[in-house]
Amino acid sequence: MATDSAAVLDGDRLEVAKARHPLAEAAGMFFRNHTAVAGLVTLAIIVVGSLVGPYVYTVDPYEMVWAPFSEPGADGFVFGTDYLGRDLFAGVVNGGRVTLAVGLSAALLSVFIGVSIGALSGYYRGWVEEALMRITEFFQVLPTLLFSMVLVALFGASLAMVTFAIGIVSWTAVARVTRSEFLRLREMEYVTSSRSSGARDLGLMLIVILPNALPPIVVQAALMVGSAILFEAGLSFLGLSDPNVVSWGQIIGSNRPYILDAGWTVALPGFFIFVTVLAISLVGDGLNDALNPKLRER
Amino acid sequence: MSVLTLLVRRGGNGLALLLAVLVLNFTLIHNAPGDVADTIAGDMGGADAEVMAQIRRDYGLDRPFHEQLLAYVGKLARGDLGYSFFFNQPVTELLLERLPATLLLVLSAQVLAIMLGTVLGVIAARHPNGLLSHGVTIFALLGFSAPVFWTGIMLIILFCSIFPVFPVAGMIDVTVEGGWFVKTLDVLYHLFLPMVTLASIFLALYSRLARASMLDVLGTDYVRTAQAKGLSEFQVVYKHALRNALGPVVTLAGLQFSGIVSGAVLVETVFSWPGLGTLAFQSITARDAPMVLGILFFSSLVVIVANLVTDLVYSLIDPRIRIGHRG
């Protein structure tokens, strides 16, 4: 009898031990979501292709290799040639890196600004919040694309300037999300108890509150990468990108005058931007469902 | 609080924001490398130091920064935004000239996106796990993920090159003869593709939001009451539930205005639509400082006014919400 009950107890303990870490739970949910996994796989292929591609397909994207406007597949060029007779496939293979890099760094910049402003205003309240929210409101009123266009046009179309111009106008949504999370969490008991045991403001913000505020911020950040890529493509389309660095948007911008005669020179790189952003949106949606199950859309 | 006091308060807030936008933009342009004199000299094919100094005196560029800023704000208060040297026209005049085309494009695209988006969202919400609902979700993602200029170019390739049914560019065909009715039809004919392109981004947002918001409302008690007292499904959904589900859609529509301005710049450039967007693009490329400043100021004004109107519309739709108390 005694051994039996011990076995039952053991069994109970096993049950308890099976309770999973919330992150594992979220990961499980994410990977059961077919569209999210499809997005992740697509994104992985695009990222790996952009990183490795230039070493596999070694045609120089800047070199004129053939007559201009050769149709896709006609003269041995899968994607044809552009208005200068450059190999479009080489352009697409090499352009991905810059597009992804600009999108990622601009998103990081805007998340950094947004989280800082949102955290400070949500944590301190009072006049700090008032002032920072005024700044946020100011950037919401600013016509984003126009302002970035002016920045890039005035201060030069370097990659760094383009990244900065995108990041500086895109952070308001992150700031609002972060602020509302901080407003909610700062009243939680575990925060109060950390404070009463002597935690400093900075420690409370970064170590106690921020990790718990992360789920919605992560979702916002993921979507931000997508919109930053679209933003970069838009600027490039208007001719406001570094003319010396090939990116998907830059190919579109430089071939824009010839869309009616050589639509593929614009359609193909645009398609890659579209698929990349779509993949990122799918991953973002999947993260949203996995990390915020209560807020999930039915 | 009465609507009037709130209007005054928010109007004052808007003015302060506008002034801040103005000062930031003025400072930026003032500190950018190169000035009006350089641009004009470049157009003339070079000028000596004396001519350059003369141009700077003419444009008041030799005066200290704060004097220039004050002079600009002073003139602005009288509705004078300066003179565009690239277009050879007063900035205000040019802005007002181009405004109707942009308004037509932006408003028609918004109306199309909101109406179609709401209808799609509501239909999807009534059968949340149906095929149509998934269709709407996917459709929304597609519209949101495609670069708007790319969508426009694809439509041009499809409807102007492969099946030539729509005009490629512009707003009017000067060869069209006839009265105002024919001319209006001609403008609408030109408007169709740009409108659909611009609407495609926002259609995604609205249909998604309308679906989520409708799902929330359909789960409430008063909707069950309406159903229980025997109202038809149509009356319950479109008369009782929709009114409450619209709130978030309207709010989003208002908050989206900065994005709409951005979208309009790209769409207008793709379709050579003669509005503020193409004007902005041309003047930024030409480094026409007074024009650029004017456009930035004007579009901020549009966004602020749009926010104000959103608050008003919102309080009309939902009297429980008092302006200024939104979360």
Side-chain angles (χ1 to χ4, degrees):
Chain A
M1 285 296 273
T3 48
D4 266 13
S5 66
V8 170
L9 266 180
D10 252 17
D12 280 348
R13 276 198 203 106
L14 281 175
E15 281 299 309
V16 170
K18 266 184 197 161
R20 292 156 76 208
H21 191 273
L23 270 183
E25 191 90 21
M29 233 175 129
F30 183 86
F31 285 107
R32 277 196 303 275
N33 183 342
H34 297 300
T35 46
V37 172
L40 191 65
V41 171
T42 314
L43 192 61
I45 293 173
I46 290 169
V47 170
V48 171
S50 302
L51 291 178
V52 180
Y55 300 103
V56 179
Y57 189 80
T58 49
V59 177
D60 184 351
Y62 302 100
E63 202 186 336
M64 298 167 213
V65 289
W66 197 254
F69 301 134
S70 158
E71 286 188 24
D75 302 298
F77 297 103
V78 217
F79 284 2
T81 58
D82 74 353
Y83 74 112
L84 286 177
R86 298 180 292 199
D87 183 351
L88 204 66
F89 186 67
V92 169
V93 166
N94 284 274
R97 269 194 294 194
V98 174
T99 299
L100 291 172
V102 170
L104 196 63
S105 16
L108 281 178
L109 176 64
S110 67
V111 168
F112 178 73
I113 303 175
V115 167
S116 310
I117 292 201
L120 287 173
S121 63
Y123 183 83
Y124 283 113
R125 318 279 311 261
W127 67 269
V128 177
E129 184 184 21
E130 188 67 21
L132 291 176
M133 281 299 111
R134 281 281 167 280
I135 296 178
T136 312
E137 211 175 315
F138 172 76
F139 274 93
Q140 275 179 325
V141 164
L142 218 54
T144 48
L145 183 67
L146 281 180
F147 188 69
S148 306
M149 282 167 74
V150 171
L151 278 182
V152 175
L154 290 182
F155 296 96
S158 64
L159 282 185
M161 197 61 223
V162 170
T163 309
F164 174 76
I166 299 172
I168 196 74
V169 296
S170 316
W171 53 267
T172 52
V174 180
R176 292 204 167 256
V177 168
T178 311
R179 170 172 162 268
S180 65
E181 280 299 291
F182 268 65
L183 281 175
R184 185 173 66 85
L185 292 170
R186 74 190 290 276
E187 308 298 342
M188 294 274 173
E189 268 170 27
Y190 69 88
V191 177
T192 329
S193 76
S194 304
R195 185 183 323 213
S196 58
S197 49
R200 303 278 177 90
D201 285 353
L202 196 66
L204 272 179
M205 275 191 268
L206 290 181
I207 301 167
V208 183
I209 303 182
L210 187 61
N212 292 292
L214 272 183
I217 298 175
V218 166
V219 173
Q220 272 288 334
L223 296 175
M224 192 67 74
V225 178
S227 50
I229 289 177
L230 288 180
F231 207 125
E232 191 266 344
L235 282 175
S236 306
F237 171 73
L238 296 169
L240 293 165
S241 66
D242 193 332
N244 303 314
V245 186
V246 59
S247 76
W248 291 338
Q250 186 263 343
I251 301 175
I252 295 175
S254 58
N255 286 294
R256 180 164 60 95
Y258 319 102
I259 40 172
L260 284 182
D261 306 311
W264 69 88
T265 54
V266 171
L268 289 169
F271 180 74
F272 278 85
I273 295 175
F274 170 51
V275 172
T276 308
V277 178
L278 184 61
I280 293 173
S281 309
L282 290 176
V283 172
D285 271 12
L287 283 176
N288 192 26
D289 288 354
L291 292 174
N292 310 322
K294 277 177 221 143
L295 302 173
R296 182 168 37 142
E297 280 180 57
R298 275 143 298 176
Chain B
M1 251 184 282
S2 80
V3 172
L4 191 70
T5 46
L6 280 158
L7 251 184
V8 170
R9 182 192 281 178
R10 289 193 70 89
N13 191 15
L15 269 183
L17 275 177
L18 212 53
L19 197 67
V21 169
L22 197 75
V23 172
L24 174 76
N25 291 331
F26 197 89
T27 313
L28 264 182
I29 289 186
H30 189 86
N31 288 306
D35 61 8
V36 176
D38 290 319
T39 318
I40 294 177
D43 286 348
M44 299 191 321
D48 58 25
E50 200 167 315
V51 177
M52 296 280 278
Q54 181 59 45
I55 298 172
R56 292 209 168 93
R57 263 199 302 283
D58 288 349
Y59 281 88
L61 296 175
D62 54 341
R63 287 185 292 159
F65 172 70
H66 65 273
E67 269 184 36
Q68 289 186 44
L69 179 61
L70 278 180
Y72 186 79
V73 176
K75 269 168 48 180
L76 179 73
R78 296 192 298 270
D80 179 5
L81 281 165
Y83 193 82
S84 156
F85 56 84
F86 180 73
F87 295 95
N88 252 323
Q89 223 177 321
V91 171
T92 320
E93 197 181 297
L94 204 53
L95 283 175
L96 293 177
E97 219 175 274
R98 298 288 195 99
L99 179 65
T102 297
L103 276 186
L104 178 66
L105 173 64
V106 163
L107 292 181
S108 62
Q110 276 296 297
V111 169
L112 178 69
I114 291 179
M115 287 181 36
L116 205 59
T118 309
V119 170
L120 283 178
V122 169
I123 294 175
R126 291 177 65 185
H127 307 283
N129 289 313
L131 206 60
L132 196 70
S133 180
H134 289 299
V136 168
T137 315
I138 292 170
F139 182 66
L141 268 177
L142 293 182
F144 192 65
S145 305
V148 62
F149 60 88
W150 185 74
T151 313
I153 290 171
M154 291 299 103
L155 288 178
I156 287 185
I157 291 175
L158 194 61
F159 290 114
C160 308
S161 189
I162 300 178
F163 308 105
V165 278
F166 282 107
V168 180
M171 188 165 88
I172 44 168
D173 186 345
V174 283
T175 61
V176 167
E177 299 278 335
W180 63 269
F181 184 69
V182 181
K183 292 225 154 77
T184 310
L185 277 186
D186 183 48
V187 169
L188 292 180
Y189 178 52
H190 282 82
L191 174 68
F192 188 76
L193 285 186
M195 175 184 73
V196 169
T197 308
L198 188 55
S200 72
I201 337 172
F202 302 103
L203 183 61
L205 287 174
Y206 295 137
S207 61
R208 231 172 122 131
L209 191 67
R211 177 176 172 274
S213 157
M214 197 67 188
L215 275 174
D216 277 346
V217 174
L218 286 179
T220 55
D221 287 339
Y222 84 92
V223 168
R224 201 170 315 129
T225 310
Q227 281 165 339
K229 73 180 182 188
L231 292 183
S232 73
E233 185 71 14
F234 182 86
Q235 270 189 313
V236 172
V237 172
Y238 290 94
K239 280 199 152 159
H240 289 237
L242 187 58
R243 191 180 166 112
N244 278 309
L246 267 184
V249 177
V250 171
T251 312
L252 184 75
L255 292 177
Q256 223 48 49
F257 245 82
S258 162
I260 294 166
V261 173
S262 304
V265 175
L266 290 168
V267 173
E268 285 186 10
T269 312
V270 173
F271 290 96
S272 309
W273 188 258
L276 291 171
T278 37
L279 183 67
F281 177 54
Q282 286 166 336
S283 50
I284 288 174
T285 324
R287 307 195 54 149
D288 186 344
M291 195 69 237
V292 172
L293 267 176
I295 287 184
L296 282 172
F297 170 78
F298 198 66
S299 23
S300 305
L301 181 70
V302 168
V303 175
I304 290 173
V305 171
N307 287 348
L308 204 63
V309 172
T310 312
D311 276 346
L312 284 179
V313 172
Y314 200 101
S315 69
L316 286 181
I317 290 184
D318 190 344
R320 288 170 306 180
I321 308 289
R322 278 287 146 242
I323 321 168
H325 285 270
R326 275 189 291 132

